[in-house]
Amino acid sequence: MTWLKLVEGYMPMQMISELVICILVFSIINYSLKRAGMGLPKFWAGIFVWAFVNVFYLKYRIYPPIPFSVRAIYGTVSACGIFMWVSGSQQEWEEFKRPIINVLDAKTGMTKFIRTALLILLPIGLWGFAYNSFLPNFDEPIELRTVHPAPPATTKVHGKTYVLQTASNPYRINPEGKYDQAYSNAHIVDQSMGRLMKDVNSAEENPWDPNAKGYIKHVREGGEIFFQNCHFCHGDNLNGRGLWAFAFNPIPANFTDAGTIAQLQETFVFWRVSKGGIGLPGEAFPWASVMPPWEQHLTVDEIWKVVMFEYWHTGYYPRTWE
Amino acid sequence: MGRLFNQMTRGKKKLLAVSALMVMGGLLLLPIFLSVTAVASGGGAPAGGPPADVVAAQKAGEEGEAEKVEMGRDIYYKTEGPAIGDGAPVTADNETFYPRYNFESRVLLWVANQQHLYYGSFVLAVPIFCMCIEFAGMVSKDKAMAKKYDQLAYDFIKISLTAYSLTAILGGILIFTFLTLYPAFFGYLSSIFRPVMHIYALTFVAESGVLYIYYYGWDKMREGVLKWVHLSMSVILNVIGTVLMFLANSWIAFMMSPAGVDEQGRYLGNIWHVIHTALWNPLNVHRILGNMAFGGGVVAAYAAYRFLSSKTDEERAHYDWMGYIAMSLGVAFLIPLPFAGYWLMREVYAYRQQMGITLMGGLLAWLFIIQATMIGILFLTTNYYLWQALGRMTGGERFQKYIKYLVFILVCGLLVFITPHTIVMTPAELKAMGGQQHPVLGNYGVMSAKNGGINAIIMTTIISFIWYQRGNRVPTVSWAKFGNIFMGCFFVIAQLNNIWLACYGYFIPANVRIGLSVPQVAGTLSCLFLMTPLNLAMLKNGRQLGPIRWGQIPPRSQYAIIMLATAFTWMMGLMGYIRSSVRLFWHVNEVMRDNSPWAYTHTIGFAANVISFNVLFFWISIMFVFWLGTLGAKKIPVPAQAGQPVPSPQPATGH
């Protein structure tokens, strides 16, 4: 159902809002039908809601496709929710159970037929399920990838040891030349689409201003390094969709996603960039990264600058603890 | 005259009994005081002086003997101190350091430890409940209710007593497991904690003594001043229990975030530094709350088991009520538990970033998703129980039609709360998704959304509880309408504030985002601590729509309680495993390396199987304890007459 767009930046809330609207519409319809004496039996209402959310909405409405493991979690939780709803009171529970009991009792021709059909179909279904599970499967196995492994306490780059817990970006400085996270936070671009179109006039805000100096000048220098080295994979918009990105699986990290650099300390990113995929620690199974160890191509200063550019461009702030 | 004489004799007897009790309590506590003094002096020297080792070292220095005192630097406090002993042993994979059976030693230790912890938590939590319930009974003006509470507290402690001996047995098994399988590590730990090891043992003696007096003296001390003395004993009992737990916590805290030793693991003479490590206090708070929630859950499961096996309506009524009280107590401590957990994790991150990332973003992150699922189950079952309980009240049905809306909020909150950041998927799914993070669901995988999710769930639980309070009552105060509107608005604003902050968290720096949890939590706690009393104030002298029909609750509710207790047990096992395995290949983090063949992190499946085994073992053994409890129980003899309303549960007299 891709004709109804999920709006970038609002997708999570859009999803919840859509579900709320769907459930409200369903409640109103059901209420109206009840008033007219044609209310949907609780049993079918429960099945309908579950099927709508899991079979229709999560599978066909949300794109890109949600992996099965997540849909299985959602399916189980929503089934629990529906059980809680239909058995919330004794009266509702009796109402929900009635069609099941009727079929089991089989007092009418129709229920007899359904019971007989179920007796035949259920074993066949189970047999089919078992048969299917025994078929040889040539899919690649599931990988429980550790995307953000714990960093080491220290890392050595170009002969100098950095303590990741306490090190800081030497270029994240205020006009006085002192490390100042708040200053740089105040000078990142706004988080929105078309962020680079923002009208920035002053040399303090605009990295392309010839008079830019200090922090913002270093951002530009980081940008130059990024576009000379990184954008081929990480993309012009830093969203992991560069020219070469789709040659890899997984594609390179999407820095605009709230779950990547926004969750990390700047020193973590510094360590990852310096050491690349080959420097991933043991716990980073299955070490699915082809990023080169950039310490072999860039100086320490260049790495710090490019890291700073990534934060500036995406509008995210590096994680700090204080 | 004779009457007066009798009164005087009775008074004297009471005085004698109180004095005897105080002497007994004093004697029990004496060894602890003596050993505390010894600790303060470093193990035998007069109080107030430096530890004996330090004195010896100083003396050696003063006398100018050949051996010079080597100073060490505390790895956490950064203070200097005389290095004592050889430090942490450097072990190797051989029989000397790691004697073994033909089985994985770590799993044996894991099971022994977990079982001891389950029982330890239970017997530490139950006396706290007893204290609260006994106190409630004593201050209750309603004599019948007072007796009911007293009986309930007695029932609780009776279960705890059998469990207490099992705790001691399991503690012994644990020690032997340590000594036989990890002698080098245990030797090191004992050498560091030597000054407090005996305090721990002596505190156990005191705990046992006070517990036995408390239990066996129940009938003798049932009235007047003696009852207050009895209650005071429960206070002493709980203080001792808490000290015990704090001491045990200091060992695990030391293993995670060592302090008071130098880089080689040599003790620097300050036992307080060794105990008071970076994670000790967060662990203490988290464990107290966790134990209480767990204890409540287990007692509630006992009541549910008795309810389901009851033969008469009276029995059902009694155990329905008991289950309700136990569950309420458990849930009361469950609500602040996520916040305590949040504080603990914050401190873990502050202590070592790597440790925090391994836990919540790296190797063990998936276990946290399982934990989130467990937390969700706890809250969902709590709500479900309360909704079922509405059915035993006349008037409760007026709330039941709105349950579906609460279900929707709960399910949405839970779905957000348990959405994994690192998704399990096949490479084909990964490719189809176009990257590691899903553009829609990926946003639910981070902390900002999860805080919103769990707070929404807790707020909904508070609404369910308020509905339950109102089940068979209607407020009649003149300001009832205003009160209702105010409460409604308060909840709506709190929920909007929660959602807004969850969204806003994506647009601000991480340190500010972490701080946002404070107003979110404040909103939730305000709902709890302002709206619940407000509701009670509104219901004061309210119109009763009918009695609570204790015992007339669907069996589903009791299965919900059993599920709640099982989820508690499973989650406790899981979190214990996570907390322990975050040290990775260290016995004592960054001080003593684990060089055994089992110094690797288990697969999630294997860990889940061992946790499940532990849970199963615990429940089988606790069923035995429950069964023992029924052996000594008096039957409630009055059979119910068919067609007659079931009265409120009445306590059995005497024990």
Side-chain angles (χ1 to χ4, degrees):
Chain A
M1 216 169 86
T2 46
W3 53 268
L4 186 59
K5 294 282 175 211
L6 287 163
V7 185
E8 198 179 336
Y10 300 94
M11 288 173 176
M13 287 314 290
Q14 191 182 346
M15 178 181 149
I16 290 184
S17 308
E18 283 181 5
L19 276 173
V20 169
I21 291 166
C22 289
I23 296 292
L24 273 179
V25 168
F26 171 74
S27 303
I28 292 166
I29 293 171
N30 199 27
Y31 179 74
S32 311
L33 285 172
K34 250 187 194 167
R35 291 289 297 266
M38 298 183 294
L40 202 57
K42 194 71 70 197
F43 179 77
W44 293 111
I47 288 181
F48 174 78
V49 171
W50 187 87
F52 172 79
V53 173
N54 294 284
V55 180
F56 172 72
Y57 190 84
L58 293 177
K59 190 162 168 62
Y60 295 108
R61 166 74 183 113
I62 301 297
Y63 60 90
I66 302 173
F68 176 76
S69 67
V70 181
R71 276 194 293 119
I73 294 172
Y74 285 5
T76 311
V77 170
S78 50
C80 292
I82 284 165
F83 169 77
M84 288 168 70
W85 163 41
V86 297
S87 64
S89 68
Q90 191 59 23
Q91 189 195 339
E92 283 179 316
W93 180 234
E94 297 294 339
E95 194 189 327
F96 177 79
K97 281 193 306 185
R98 202 172 302 136
I100 303 169
I101 304 286
N102 286 347
V103 167
L104 291 175
D105 286 348
K107 284 180 180 164
T108 64
M110 176 59 102
T111 49
K112 263 184 194 156
F113 171 75
I114 297 172
R115 190 173 73 172
T116 313
L118 280 174
L119 272 173
I120 297 164
L121 291 175
L122 273 177
I124 293 175
L126 283 173
W127 169 81
F129 181 75
Y131 176 79
N132 209 30
S133 64
F134 276 102
L135 283 177
N137 186 353
F138 301 106
D139 290 345
E140 292 169 88
I142 284 176
E143 285 175 351
L144 188 52
R145 184 176 175 223
T146 305
V147 184
H148 296 142
T154 58
T155 187
K156 200 171 186 180
V157 183
H158 288 297
K160 192 177 169 192
T161 301
Y162 295 86
V163 179
L164 296 189
Q165 185 103 351
T166 52
S168 58
N169 193 329
Y171 296 101
R172 198 174 281 283
I173 49 170
N174 59 20
E176 285 85 50
K178 288 183 182 158
Y179 178 82
D180 192 341
Q181 173 99 38
Y183 175 81
S184 62
N185 285 352
H187 287 84
I188 60 167
V189 291
D190 279 342
Q191 252 194 345
S192 60
M193 294 300 292
R195 51 179 73 86
L196 295 178
M197 310 288 280
K198 196 182 171 201
D199 180 27
V200 279
N201 295 318
S202 72
E204 251 192 22
E205 298 280 348
N206 183 0
W208 289 274
D209 191 303
N211 297 321
K213 53 188 176 189
Y215 162 74
I216 208 73
K217 176 171 158 276
H218 300 313
V219 165
R220 183 180 67 211
E221 289 165 359
E224 285 165 5
I225 299 158
F226 182 87
F227 286 105
Q228 284 163 10
N229 300 282
C230 316
H231 95 286
F232 303 105
C233 295
H234 287 287
D236 294 359
N237 279 329
L238 285 72
N239 57 3
R241 282 158 170 72
L243 285 171
W244 300 341
F246 292 95
F248 311 120
N249 190 21
I251 63 167
N254 172 5
F255 300 142
T256 63
D257 188 281
T260 59
I261 58 171
Q263 296 295 319
L264 302 168
Q265 263 191 305
E266 203 166 12
T267 50
F268 186 106
V269 186
F270 173 78
W271 163 64
R272 292 299 323 118
V273 173
S274 308
K275 301 297 171 188
I278 206 160
L280 279 168
E283 72 168 84
F285 176 86
W287 310 283
S289 167
V290 290
M291 185 164 74
W294 284 105
E295 63 178 342
Q296 293 176 7
H297 307 277
L298 301 176
T299 64
V300 168
D301 291 341
E302 285 171 332
I303 296 173
W304 280 123
K305 283 176 186 170
V306 80
V307 169
M308 201 165 68
F309 168 76
E310 286 164 7
Y311 281 104
W312 175 85
H313 190 286
T314 54
Y316 288 127
Y317 312 91
R319 183 182 278 271
T320 52
W321 302 108
E322 298 306 328
Chain B
M1 188 68 182
R3 211 169 141 191
L4 189 68
F5 178 76
N6 279 344
Q7 276 179 354
M8 278 174 68
T9 318
R10 220 177 294 151
K12 268 185 185 174
K13 271 184 180 173
K14 274 186 186 172
L15 193 70
L16 207 66
V18 173
S19 314
L21 268 173
M22 286 171 79
V23 170
M24 187 77 83
L27 280 173
L28 284 166
L29 294 172
L30 190 64
I32 301 173
F33 285 123
L34 286 176
S35 49
V36 168
T37 322
V39 169
S41 63
D53 299 326
V54 183
V55 172
Q58 282 171 351
K59 210 172 173 185
E62 281 164 15
E63 286 170 6
E65 286 176 12
E67 232 176 283
K68 202 181 170 190
V69 178
E70 198 180 336
M71 299 299 279
R73 190 175 161 79
D74 193 317
I75 50 172
Y76 179 68
Y77 286 104
K78 308 296 176 201
T79 51
E80 297 270 328
I84 299 159
D86 296 330
V90 180
T91 59
D93 178 14
N94 59 39
E95 291 278 342
T96 314
F97 293 109
Y98 300 104
R100 62 200 75 167
Y101 305 116
N102 196 15
F103 195 78
E104 190 176 330
S105 300
R106 180 173 44 166
V107 173
L108 292 174
L109 189 68
W110 184 354
V111 173
N113 211 340
Q114 190 60 61
Q115 293 304 321
H116 179 57
L117 263 172
Y118 278 145
Y119 276 93
S121 306
F122 182 63
V123 299
L124 289 177
V126 171
I128 301 180
F129 293 157
C130 286
M131 182 179 71
C132 300
I133 297 169
E134 194 183 1
F135 180 72
M138 286 174 71
V139 295
S140 174
K141 285 171 188 160
D142 182 341
K143 290 276 180 197
M145 278 310 286
K147 275 192 172 177
K148 270 171 64 179
Y149 278 125
D150 197 62
Q151 174 69 32
L152 187 66
Y154 182 78
D155 281 350
F156 275 20
I157 205 76
K158 194 168 61 180
I159 304 167
S160 155
L161 206 69
T162 319
Y164 191 76
S165 43
L166 263 174
T167 310
I169 294 167
L170 288 164
I173 292 174
L174 176 62
I175 295 271
F176 286 125
T177 315
F178 263 124
L179 287 171
T180 47
L181 302 178
Y182 288 90
F185 163 66
F186 193 68
Y188 173 64
L189 206 63
S190 324
S191 73
I192 297 292
F193 282 94
R194 181 178 52 82
V196 285
M197 279 280 180
H198 273 93
I199 293 188
Y200 185 75
L202 290 169
T203 313
F204 244 116
V205 176
E207 166 100 352
S208 310
V210 177
L211 177 66
Y212 289 132
I213 296 170
Y214 182 65
Y215 176 72
Y216 289 109
W218 202 289
D219 276 340
K220 295 278 177 200
M221 293 186 274
R222 63 187 314 161
E223 276 164 8
V225 185
L226 280 178
K227 189 64 183 163
W228 284 103
V229 174
H230 190 252
L231 182 69
S232 316
M233 299 214 63
S234 75
V235 176
I236 297 171
L237 181 67
N238 287 312
V239 169
I240 298 171
T242 310
V243 171
L244 265 174
M245 193 189 66
F246 282 5
L247 281 174
N249 288 351
S250 70
W251 308 336
I252 56 164
F254 176 79
M255 286 164 71
M256 287 178 80
S257 55
V261 292
D262 66 5
E263 278 183 344
Q264 295 163 47
R266 292 178 301 182
Y267 177 55
L268 300 179
N270 189 332
I271 190 67
W272 179 241
H273 281 184
V274 174
I275 292 173
H276 187 224
T277 54
L279 301 178
W280 185 52
N281 276 328
L283 271 171
N284 286 339
V285 173
H286 197 253
R287 272 201 159 172
I288 285 182
L289 293 174
N291 288 354
M292 298 291 284
F294 169 73
V298 174
V299 176
Y302 167 74
Y305 158 76
R306 296 297 303 269
F307 176 94
L308 292 170
S309 58
S310 291
K311 298 282 188 293
T312 65
D313 287 343
E314 280 74 19
E315 273 186 308
R316 257 190 290 279
H318 178 72
Y319 289 112
D320 181 13
W321 181 68
M322 183 180 183
Y324 166 70
I325 298 281
M327 210 210 69
S328 305
L329 284 167
V331 171
F333 291 95
L334 168 69
I335 289 176
L337 198 55
F339 308 132
Y342 196 82
W343 179 41
L344 173 60
M345 286 315 302
R346 193 182 181 281
E347 293 302 314
V348 167
Y349 267 100
Y351 173 69
R352 283 290 181 278
Q353 185 194 192
Q354 303 102 293
M355 210 179 244
I357 294 177
T358 299
L359 282 169
M360 301 203 73
L363 195 62
L364 303 170
W366 247 92
L367 296 172
F368 266 86
I369 292 297
I370 302 175
Q371 182 230 13
T373 312
M374 287 288 146
I375 293 174
I377 290 172
L378 293 179
F379 280 106
L380 256 60
T381 43
T382 304
N383 278 278
Y384 188 70
Y385 174 81
L386 290 171
W387 302 336
Q388 296 300 314
L390 281 170
R392 68 181 168 209
M393 295 186 222
T394 310
E397 64 282 350
R398 67 192 197 279
F399 294 107
Q400 285 183 324
K401 58 187 169 194
Y402 300 114
I403 284 173
K404 51 182 169 284
Y405 302 111
L406 296 195
V407 169
F408 185 73
I409 300 171
L410 283 172
V411 168
C412 282
L414 182 58
L415 288 181
V416 171
F417 191 54
I418 65 174
T419 299
H421 180 231
T422 306
I423 296 174
V424 176
M425 52 192 158
T426 63
E429 284 178 320
L430 176 61
K431 200 161 195 175
M433 212 169 82
Q436 188 69 47
Q437 277 79 28
H438 194 284
V440 184
L441 306 181
N443 290 283
Y444 299 143
V446 294
M447 212 61 214
S448 196
K450 293 195 184 303
N451 278 347
I454 189 65
N455 278 291
I457 291 173
I458 298 175
M459 270 188 241
T460 313
T461 309
I462 297 165
I463 294 174
S464 291
F465 184 62
I466 284 177
W467 283 2
Y468 178 82
Q469 285 181 324
R470 288 187 174 208
N472 63 337
R473 284 189 287 177
V474 177
T476 50
V477 286
S478 56
W479 46 276
K481 196 175 175 185
F482 170 77
N484 282 337
I485 294 170
F486 179 76
M487 278 176 84
C489 291
F490 198 95
F491 272 105
V492 169
I493 291 168
Q495 198 66 275
L496 288 176
N497 173 57
N498 175 42
I499 296 169
W500 156 247
L501 290 174
C503 298
Y504 183 56
Y506 290 96
F507 302 97
I508 48 174
N511 57 336
V512 184
R513 182 165 64 240
I514 292 167
L516 277 188
S517 59
V518 176
Q520 271 179 317
V521 169
T524 307
L525 292 182
S526 303
C527 288
L528 180 65
F529 293 119
L530 297 179
M531 292 302 104
T532 317
L534 177 69
N535 190 44
L536 285 175
M538 285 171 73
L539 291 172
K540 200 173 179 192
N541 302 322
R543 186 158 56 89
Q544 282 263 355
L545 297 173
I548 300 177
R549 298 183 296 269
W550 291 107
Q552 293 183 18
I553 189 169
R556 292 193 303 281
S557 62
Q558 305 304 306
Y559 292 118
I561 288 183
I562 291 171
M563 187 170 173
L564 183 91
T566 314
F568 267 134
T569 324
W570 213 94
M571 194 166 81
M572 214 164 138
L574 175 78
M575 295 318 287
Y577 168 68
I578 294 176
R579 186 200 49 68
S580 186
S581 60
V582 73
R583 285 180 283 111
L584 300 174
F585 44 83
W586 295 100
H587 285 309
V588 178
N589 194 34
E590 297 168 14
V591 169
M592 183 180 178
R593 199 178 166 112
D594 181 354
N595 286 316
S596 71
W598 308 289
Y600 61 89
T601 305
H602 279 301
T603 59
I604 292 172
F606 183 87
N609 283 341
V610 178
I611 294 164
S612 301
F613 171 79
N614 272 324
V615 171
L616 200 65
F617 191 89
F618 171 74
W619 279 103
I620 289 170
S621 57
I622 201 90
M623 288 293 274
F624 172 69
V625 173
F626 289 171
W627 175 73
L628 282 178
T630 61
L631 284 184
K634 280 190 179 177
K635 285 196 184 290
I636 300 169
V638 190
Q641 298 290 320
Q644 283 190 356
V646 179
S648 292
Q650 296 300 315
T653 49
H655 308 112

